[in-house]
Amino acid sequence: MAPSFLYHPVQLSPAAALELAQTAPAVLKSSPSSVSSSPLFSLVGGPEKSEQWIQFENLILACLRTGDDQAARKCLERLVSRFGADNERVQALDGLVKEAMANNNGELEAVLKEYERILSENDTNIPIAKRRIALLRSMGRASDAASALVELLDFSPTDAEAWSELSDIYLSQGLYPQAIYAMEEVLVLAPNAWNIHARLGELQYMAATASGSAANGSHQKHMAEAVKRFSRSIELCDDYLRGYYGLKLVTKTLLSGEDAKTPKQTDEGGFALPDRSTLEKLHELATAKLAEIVRRAAAKERGWRGYAEADVAAARELLAQDTSAVQR
Amino acid sequence: MTLLSKTFTVFGSILLAHACYSAREHTALQSPRVVTAAALSSSPAAGSVSLPVDIIIETIVSTVLIITGLVLGTKPLRPLEWRVWAGKIEREGAEGFTDGSGKVDRDYVGNPFSVLESRPNFVDIRRQRREFAEWSRQKEKFLQQGQ
């Protein structure tokens, strides 16, 4: 099945991105090269479709990713001729094309200078500010990117995407508490996002298993939070493989560890670890659900084909660890 | 629309058209007779003529048939509960959001919150290009080995 052009090509697999990029010449050919925004034109030519421009935007990303720079530039020309070169979103796409075509560090620095020049004229140009942060991070200056992002969030605190990026930058630097805080801000803005709940659970699990957390006593707190987050994600989404996977992993670690036998109250009044029988029940539930998902997804039953193959394989591996432990 | 719903709707429409035609013919044939009868007897009560009961029944039955056909032909309703809807996206993917002919709905975008994790405005295009080049190289190697 051809990927819908409404999918952002960032999330597509390489093969799907290639497939999308290869449609570029046909799309370019089928749509008129210049669009007039005069009312007369819209009377004659019918209503303008907004999807068309999203399509061009996504094509630019897919073409750049697959190395088809020429087609990307042509798509960009269409957007420039429609919206003008000083449109904020078009400016960001233009910068993206330049970034992708830069061959050495000097050219990247030039792109960065260009971003800074645009921002000095108008420092509320959010798309360009985001590009600048992404470029800084791409050039290996993660701490600069983090401070620039904090500045951006200072005047635009409801930008969930930016909080999520900040969390990712902190995670790449190993700053777990900060990463968790930023991800919690995302949840404040999108409280029903089941994947963000699972992501936060994963962050908590990573923080709990990181070296040094056992020493300062935050291990149990993080594990309790992870149980809570994964449970919430499966509460928000039936048969959520990622949530059940995380829940099983966390409860298994807790049940095999020593600390589960003596659940002690966390001193900060946070979420206390549930007792052993509850954990066992959660573990059983997660195992049963995972086994069902793996069985039905592997059989390609109707209505169970939406899972990614890699996810199902990982779940199968986790279940196999269990059975091999029993056999031994 | 399935074949069943189409049959129901078409048959109902034919019945309805037939009922309308019958009603019209009935009034056209009846009215001169009524006028003459009224003139002869000069009684005011004979002025109103009711339709025969079979035309009335036909109209009702045809309407019910059309409605049944249309209801049968609607797309499966979307889940109301959040967790059911979310589970449908995760479990079935695009396949769960198709109309009768198997085409994916235009507004289907998968998990709407996945952009919070892929973060398209912060995309590191240079790394993506490197990864794609690596992927295509490996694919080529794999194809060469296969030959």
Side-chain angles (χ1 to χ4, degrees):
Chain A
M1 190 166 41
S4 159
F5 62 80
L6 283 177
Y7 276 122
H8 221 281
V10 176
Q11 355 173 343
L12 293 175
S13 67
L18 184 62
E19 202 181 322
L20 182 64
Q22 279 163 352
T23 62
V27 172
L28 281 169
K29 211 186 236 173
S30 67
S31 53
S33 58
S34 68
V35 175
S36 155
S37 56
S38 77
L40 197 69
F41 182 84
S42 66
L43 268 181
V44 180
E48 180 183 5
K49 290 195 198 90
S50 60
E51 288 117 16
Q52 192 188 346
W53 308 115
I54 301 173
Q55 190 177 12
F56 275 131
E57 217 173 51
N58 288 350
L59 273 180
I60 289 175
L61 277 161
C63 289
L64 285 180
R65 189 170 162 191
T66 53
D68 189 355
D69 296 343
Q70 209 125 40
R73 216 172 269 188
K74 272 187 197 144
C75 291
L76 182 68
E77 272 166 25
R78 297 289 171 87
L79 287 177
V80 169
S81 72
R82 172 64 183 83
F83 297 101
D86 53 350
N87 181 288
E88 293 184 356
R89 224 160 134 167
V90 173
Q91 276 180 335
L93 282 170
D94 184 45
L96 191 73
V97 173
K98 280 183 192 149
E99 271 177 53
M101 291 179 191
N103 293 318
N104 51 43
N105 239 11
E107 287 177 41
L108 283 180
E109 289 286 349
V111 178
L112 194 62
K113 284 261 159 60
E114 171 76 12
Y115 287 159
E116 268 153 20
R117 188 189 60 73
I118 295 171
L119 285 177
S120 68
E121 284 167 12
N122 172 18
D123 56 0
T124 56
N125 190 336
I126 301 224
I128 286 290
K130 286 186 173 178
R131 279 313 322 151
R132 179 170 165 262
I133 291 158
L135 181 59
L136 280 175
R137 198 182 172 194
S138 170
M139 289 163 77
R141 290 155 64 181
S143 50
D144 285 352
S147 52
L149 197 48
V150 169
E151 267 173 46
L152 172 69
L153 283 167
D154 255 350
F155 71 85
S156 164
T158 54
D159 190 336
E161 191 190 15
W163 280 112
S164 175
E165 176 75 13
L166 185 64
S167 166
D168 203 50
I169 293 178
Y170 281 140
L171 178 67
S172 68
Q173 293 176 319
L175 302 167
Y176 293 106
Q178 285 86 344
I180 288 168
Y181 176 84
M183 208 35 108
E184 278 169 352
E185 289 290 329
V186 179
L187 269 190
V188 169
L189 297 166
N192 287 342
W194 58 95
N195 58 335
I196 296 299
H197 275 285
R199 178 77 192 144
L200 188 52
E202 286 161 10
L203 282 179
Q204 299 275 10
Y205 180 70
M206 279 189 255
T209 47
S211 58
S213 74
N216 60 26
S218 61
H219 174 79
Q220 207 181 12
K221 194 185 106 208
H222 284 310
M223 284 306 245
E225 279 284 324
V227 172
K228 180 174 136 192
R229 295 299 175 190
F230 283 124
S231 305
R232 180 68 178 142
S233 84
I234 55 177
E235 191 180 13
L236 282 168
C237 176
D238 282 348
D239 302 315
Y240 189 34
L241 192 144
R242 190 172 164 188
Y244 280 118
Y245 186 98
L247 186 63
K248 178 166 165 60
L249 199 65
V250 173
T251 47
K252 201 170 104 180
T253 318
L254 278 174
L255 287 171
S256 62
E258 292 296 306
D259 45 354
K261 283 164 196 150
T262 52
K264 45 181 189 252
Q265 205 71 27
T266 45
D267 41 347
E268 290 152 43
F271 182 70
L273 207 55
D275 56 20
R276 200 176 166 81
S277 61
T278 317
L279 282 178
E280 267 166 6
K281 266 189 216 153
L282 282 173
H283 183 248
E284 267 170 38
L285 173 76
T287 312
K289 268 286 180 189
L290 272 184
E292 189 196 357
I293 291 171
V294 166
R295 180 169 53 81
R296 303 184 91 151
K300 298 231 175 287
E301 269 183 51
R302 195 174 162 67
W304 292 80
R305 294 177 209 155
Y307 297 110
E309 260 171 49
D311 291 359
V312 176
R316 189 179 296 124
E317 215 164 276
L318 185 71
L319 289 170
Q321 283 174 14
D322 255 18
T323 49
S324 65
V326 168
Q327 277 163 2
R328 253 185 265 134
Chain B
M1 270 223 248
T2 56
L3 189 67
L4 187 71
S5 86
K6 268 185 187 157
T7 322
F8 268 64
T9 319
V10 169
F11 187 60
S13 310
I14 292 170
L15 272 188
L16 187 63
H18 182 253
C20 292
Y21 178 73
S22 312
R24 195 205 151 271
E25 284 294 291
H26 180 80
T27 40
L29 287 173
Q30 287 294 311
S31 45
R33 227 171 65 197
V34 169
V35 170
T36 46
L40 285 176
S41 63
S42 69
S43 68
S48 62
V49 176
S50 62
L51 281 173
V53 80
D54 57 339
I55 296 182
I56 296 171
I57 291 174
E58 193 181 11
T59 313
I60 292 171
V61 167
S62 65
T63 314
V64 169
L65 271 181
I66 291 174
I67 291 170
T68 317
L70 289 178
V71 168
L72 281 176
T74 49
K75 279 198 268 184
L77 301 177
R78 297 202 179 168
L80 272 180
E81 275 173 291
W82 182 279
R83 59 182 181 81
V84 180
W85 166 75
K88 197 173 153 82
I89 288 176
E90 290 292 333
R91 203 183 320 114
E92 304 185 19
E95 211 177 54
F97 294 84
T98 53
D99 53 10
S101 56
K103 231 176 115 203
V104 181
D105 289 351
R106 286 186 66 80
D107 55 349
Y108 173 74
V109 288
N111 179 355
F113 298 108
S114 60
V115 286
L116 290 180
E117 278 191 285
S118 58
R119 300 184 296 275
N121 286 327
F122 290 101
V123 59
D124 184 352
I125 195 74
R126 287 168 52 230
R127 203 185 70 206
Q128 283 219 318
R129 270 163 90 94
R130 278 199 300 275
E131 280 171 2
F132 184 83
E134 183 62 32
W135 174 80
S136 57
R137 239 199 321 279
Q138 276 184 354
K139 199 178 152 198
E140 250 167 52
K141 217 196 279 174
F142 181 75
L143 286 177
Q144 276 170 2
Q145 279 172 354
Q147 277 168 1

